[in-house]
């Protein structure tokens, strides 16, 4: 089988195939196929399976290249995910077993990178458009870790941008006040466990709901701490949140940096953190794209329609 992949330009070809084609050689060695770079294209020749795997690796590397330089370790990670697991429905791609007969698995290579990042790192920043599974997979990972005794509790957090000063006037205790904003996280949890079990975990404080402002001054040990809608934190808020991590904890921040609801000219704490933390060991930054959308098929088309809109016609939030 022969496949020809065309890059946008020479810069993209160089970024994906590496200086002096070092990454192309890695593909040749890992998949046992012929890889021939030619200007702005690369020719793949081999078995149907080998060519298919190489195409998937190159697609993931193209996505990575859009967000910064690719390192040999990045290439090896993507190769391992594709080569080692092959069929996306294979049992070893399970992200979390959350109940009898219920399992959550990544459905795309990008989601598989995300799951592996959560397994291998202590701080994970995941950005991507709606429907890519950012929040859902984070909750699945946390629930699985809780069930297996790897952590003692799950802390769910979200910036209450829409509520602002009005939070204190909402009826009920703090959990009731925060509930409307944390609902996407609880919806994901309800899909993984019986509602009664979620309520029991909340009562026992195995699952904790906390407004971002209430995190100040705390050190949280042995927990999975999930911050949803992280793009709506300010830089000081993100710094405060990330430094709450104690012994045996993981922090997972999800968000879509094209949908920022902060006041104009206020820098997003998530966008800032991506730049500040990108070279720190055990901090993973995962970018998901439209290709990772797994909701209704129309969601992907809607996202693409907005992405393709002329800049002058877009709203401030993209």
């Amino acid at each position: 089988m022969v496949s020809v992949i065309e890059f946008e330009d020479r810069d993209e070809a160089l970024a994906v195939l590496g200086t002096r084609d070092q990454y192309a050689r890695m593909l040749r060695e890992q998949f046992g196929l012929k890889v021939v770079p030619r200007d702005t294209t690369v020719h793949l020749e081999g078995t149907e399976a080998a060519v298919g795997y190489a195409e998937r690796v190159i697609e993931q590397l193209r996505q990575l290249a859009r967000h910064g330089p690719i390192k040999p370790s990045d290439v090896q990670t993507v190769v391992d995910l594709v080569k080692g697991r092959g069929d996306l429905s294979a049992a070893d791609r399970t992200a979390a077993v959350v109940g009898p007969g219920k399992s959550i698995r990544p459905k795309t290579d990008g989601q598989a990178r995300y799951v592996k990042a959560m397994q291998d790192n202590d701080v994970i920043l995941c950005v991507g458009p709606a429907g890519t599974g950012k929040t859902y997979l984070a909750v699945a990972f946390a629930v699985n870790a809780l069930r297996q005794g790897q952590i003692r509790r799950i802390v769910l957090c979200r910036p209450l941008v829409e509520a602002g000063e009005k939070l204190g006037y909402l009826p009920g205790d703090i959990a009731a006040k925060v509930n409307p904003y944390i609902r996407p996280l609880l919806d994901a949890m309800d899909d993984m466990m019986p509602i009664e079990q979620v309520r029991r975990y909340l009562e026992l404080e195995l699952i904790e709901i906390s407004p971002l402002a209430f995190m100040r001054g705390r050190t949280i040990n042995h927990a999975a701490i999930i911050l949803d809608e992280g793009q709506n934190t300010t830089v000081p808020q993100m710094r405060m949140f990330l430094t709450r991590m104690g012994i045996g904890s993981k922090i997972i921040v999800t968000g879509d940096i094209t949908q920022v609801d902060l006041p104009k000219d206020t820098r997003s704490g998530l966008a800032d953190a991506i730049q500040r933390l990108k070279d720190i060991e055990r901090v993973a930054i995962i970018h998901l794209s439209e290709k990772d959308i797994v909701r209704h098929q129309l969601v992907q088309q809607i996202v693409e329609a907005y992405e393709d809109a002329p800049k002058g016609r877009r709203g401030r939030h993209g």
Side-chain angles (χ1 to χ4, degrees):
M1 179 178 177
V2 177
S3 175
V4 179
I5 296 175
E6 186 170 351
F7 297 100
E8 293 181 1
D9 50 39
R10 291 185 179 181
D11 289 340
E12 186 185 44
L14 177 63
V16 172
L17 301 177
T19 305
R20 298 181 181 178
D21 301 326
Q22 65 177 123
Y23 303 151
R25 289 196 298 273
M26 290 177 67
L27 293 179
R28 185 183 304 122
E29 294 166 1
Q30 292 286 345
F31 298 114
L33 77 170
K34 188 176 181 180
V35 182
V36 183
R38 294 177 181 172
D39 197 24
T40 59
T41 64
V42 61
H43 293 235
L44 307 174
E45 183 176 349
T47 65
E48 184 176 354
V51 170
Y53 291 157
E55 288 176 335
R56 283 166 55 184
V57 170
I58 289 173
E59 176 57 35
Q60 287 297 302
L61 295 181
R62 293 180 77 165
Q63 291 188 36
L64 290 174
R66 296 187 185 108
H67 304 286
I70 295 174
K71 299 175 290 186
S73 59
D74 297 327
V75 181
Q76 192 60 57
T77 295
V78 175
V79 167
D80 289 343
L81 284 169
V82 171
K83 182 181 178 182
R85 291 169 171 81
D87 181 5
L88 280 166
S89 65
D92 61 358
R93 298 206 89 160
T94 301
V97 177
V98 295
K102 178 72 173 180
S103 63
I104 309 297
R105 296 186 179 92
K107 293 181 172 63
T108 69
D109 290 327
Q111 288 187 349
R113 282 193 292 110
Y114 180 28
V115 171
K116 189 174 191 304
M118 289 189 285
Q119 293 169 343
D120 296 344
N121 297 275
D122 296 324
V123 175
I124 304 92
L125 309 179
C126 182
V127 297
T132 51
K134 306 181 299 295
T135 300
Y136 195 82
L137 287 173
V139 171
F141 181 85
V143 169
N144 192 51
L146 182 64
R147 285 180 174 274
Q148 294 186 1
Q150 299 170 358
I151 56 174
R152 295 176 186 170
R153 59 178 164 157
I154 299 170
V155 179
L156 305 178
C157 187
R158 185 175 174 181
L160 308 183
V161 172
E162 299 86 352
E165 299 278 338
K166 299 178 183 179
L167 181 63
Y169 295 97
L170 293 176
D173 59 16
I174 190 62
K177 293 176 180 180
V178 177
N179 186 278
Y181 301 94
I182 216 77
R183 193 67 248 174
L185 292 164
L186 293 178
D187 285 344
M189 217 165 260
D190 288 345
D191 193 46
M192 300 169 195
M193 298 186 291
I195 294 177
E196 296 76 15
Q197 187 173 29
V198 174
R199 289 174 179 168
R200 186 165 64 252
Y201 279 14
L202 286 166
E203 290 172 359
L204 295 173
E205 297 187 347
L206 296 176
I207 299 172
E208 176 188 343
I209 296 174
S210 177
L212 181 60
F214 284 31
M215 299 288 283
R216 190 175 301 278
R218 301 180 62 186
T219 299
I220 304 175
N221 298 317
H222 305 291
I225 312 164
I226 300 174
L227 173 62
D228 195 29
E229 300 289 344
Q231 79 276 5
N232 286 331
T233 60
T234 63
V235 173
Q237 285 175 330
M238 181 61 75
R239 177 180 178 178
M240 179 273 291
F241 175 78
L242 292 174
T243 54
R244 299 310 92 199
M245 182 172 62
I247 297 170
S249 288
K250 283 182 183 281
I251 280 182
I252 306 168
V253 181
T254 67
D256 180 355
I257 54 178
T258 70
Q259 297 291 331
V260 178
D261 296 313
L262 295 170
K264 189 176 180 180
D265 298 326
T266 300
R267 181 164 173 74
S268 165
L270 178 54
D272 180 79
I274 288 171
Q275 294 302 314
R276 290 179 186 270
L277 309 182
K278 61 184 179 181
D279 296 322
I280 297 179
E281 190 175 356
R282 297 194 68 79
V283 173
I285 299 171
I286 301 296
H287 294 270
L288 300 179
S289 73
E290 296 81 12
K291 292 181 173 61
D292 298 301
I293 292 176
V294 294
R295 287 183 185 170
H296 192 286
Q297 60 182 0
L298 280 178
V299 174
Q300 182 169 347
Q301 297 177 39
I302 290 168
V303 171
E304 290 174 350
Y306 276 92
E307 288 297 319
D308 292 340
K311 290 184 180 179
R313 295 175 58 189
R314 294 186 189 179
R316 180 173 64 86
H317 306 315

